[in-house]
Amino acid sequence: MRYLILSDIHSNWEALEAVLEDARGAYDEILCCGDLVGYGADPNRVVEWTRRNVRVVVRGNHDKAAVGLEDLEWFNPVARSAALWTEQNLTAENHSYLRSLPKGPLLVGDLELVHGTPLDEDDYLMSALAAAELAGYLEKSVCFFGHTHVQGSYHINRGTVEWIEKPEAEAPRQAFELNEGAYLINPGSVGQPRDGDARAAYMICAAGERRLEYRRVAYPVEIAQAKILRAGLPGVLAERLAWGS
Ligand code: ZN
């Protein structure tokens, strides 16, 4: 089975469309680590596509925030106003779909999916030390996570942690093989990358061959930006798409 692994789409239809075109023919099923909505201007289009096409979706904090399942006091003002805008603009069907999304960890064959970490769906996994501490709590040796919007992986083996870097700025793809030990793998964010690379991020996982591939693809950022501004969402949400941070 070959999986297309997505995370943090954040209502960015243009980025999602570019990913699907780039990934065409490379996967059998689609999995998602959460945050379908929030920040971008196309929540309904993204959720409708997800309902039809994605096999397993773990809920993200922005999915909760857009349907009244998260206390918005914890959100910064920009994220809060995007969550409120999203809730006002979701159709009833998409609203109830988001409300029904399960909390991680979820298991799919030999893979584990979470939004934040295996212990806390809202936690940010950002250090080798934290990855080493989480290794003992994994139910499977390969766990995909999102939430940080940073593409990259922690490989934990016999007390050491190696960081497997994303592709170089000019490279679209970079593959690696799975070895012994545990992996915490972030496919990166489709719709709002924050790792210094504005291209949409995703992964292909050929589970049987134990081979993974980071991928990046450029998309028409200016169209997504124009929609955000036209919707009256905070301007910084449009600007940051161009920076990838
Ligand atoms: Zn997110």
Side-chain angles (χ1 to χ4, degrees):
M1 184 66 77
R2 300 166 307 161
Y3 295 104
L4 168 59
I5 315 283
L6 306 177
S7 192
D8 298 279
I9 302 169
H10 283 292
S11 303
N12 186 336
W13 177 255
E14 285 66 37
L16 177 59
E17 208 174 28
V19 162
L20 296 173
E21 177 62 29
D22 192 56
R24 201 202 306 230
Y27 64 89
D28 307 299
E29 286 192 339
I30 309 174
L31 309 176
C32 180
C33 293
D35 277 2
L36 300 175
V37 300
Y39 300 138
D42 269 320
N44 287 309
R45 215 164 170 188
V46 167
V47 174
E48 267 147 36
W49 174 84
T50 303
R51 288 165 54 194
R52 283 197 306 273
N53 294 289
V54 182
R55 178 172 161 209
V56 176
V57 184
V58 62
R59 72 181 186 184
N61 55 318
H62 286 262
D63 303 320
K64 290 189 286 176
V67 295
L69 293 173
E70 179 92 340
D71 185 354
L72 292 181
E73 292 305 306
W74 295 98
F75 273 50
N76 67 52
V78 167
R80 191 183 310 143
S81 73
L84 293 170
W85 180 91
T86 301
E87 179 148 38
Q88 283 157 12
N89 284 277
L90 280 170
T91 65
E93 292 81 6
N94 291 336
H95 191 278
S96 60
Y97 174 80
L98 289 178
R99 269 192 90 89
S100 74
L101 287 178
K103 178 183 175 179
L106 300 178
L107 304 182
V108 183
D110 283 335
L111 307 175
E112 186 167 347
L113 297 184
V114 302
H115 183 63
T117 78
L119 292 182
D120 185 337
E121 61 181 345
D122 296 328
D123 236 13
Y124 292 89
L125 172 51
M126 300 188 77
S127 75
L129 186 62
E133 286 170 355
L134 288 168
Y137 298 96
L138 293 175
E139 293 179 64
K140 300 287 179 183
S141 61
V142 177
C143 178
F144 290 98
F145 71 100
H147 199 34
T148 64
H149 301 205
V150 173
Q151 190 178 45
S153 309
Y154 298 100
H155 176 209
I156 307 112
N157 193 23
R158 298 169 198 233
T160 65
V161 182
E162 174 203 7
W163 172 250
I164 305 170
E165 188 60 69
K166 68 183 191 295
E168 300 285 323
E170 298 309 316
R173 295 174 186 182
Q174 185 171 304
F176 60 95
E177 310 280 332
L178 296 177
N179 293 309
E180 262 180 68
Y183 288 82
L184 282 153
I185 300 169
N186 192 326
S189 169
V190 172
Q192 198 202 68
R194 293 178 196 161
D195 52 10
D197 186 338
R199 297 174 296 176
Y202 71 101
M203 288 189 92
I204 299 290
C205 170
E209 300 155 44
R210 296 185 62 79
R211 183 175 185 275
L212 287 112
E213 190 170 65
Y214 295 126
R215 292 194 178 188
R216 304 299 286 234
V217 60
Y219 71 95
V221 171
E222 63 289 349
I223 298 179
Q225 290 177 314
K227 287 182 177 177
I228 286 170
L229 297 175
R230 212 160 49 229
L233 286 158
V236 67
L237 293 173
E239 287 164 32
R240 68 185 305 175
L241 294 180
W243 308 328
S245 64

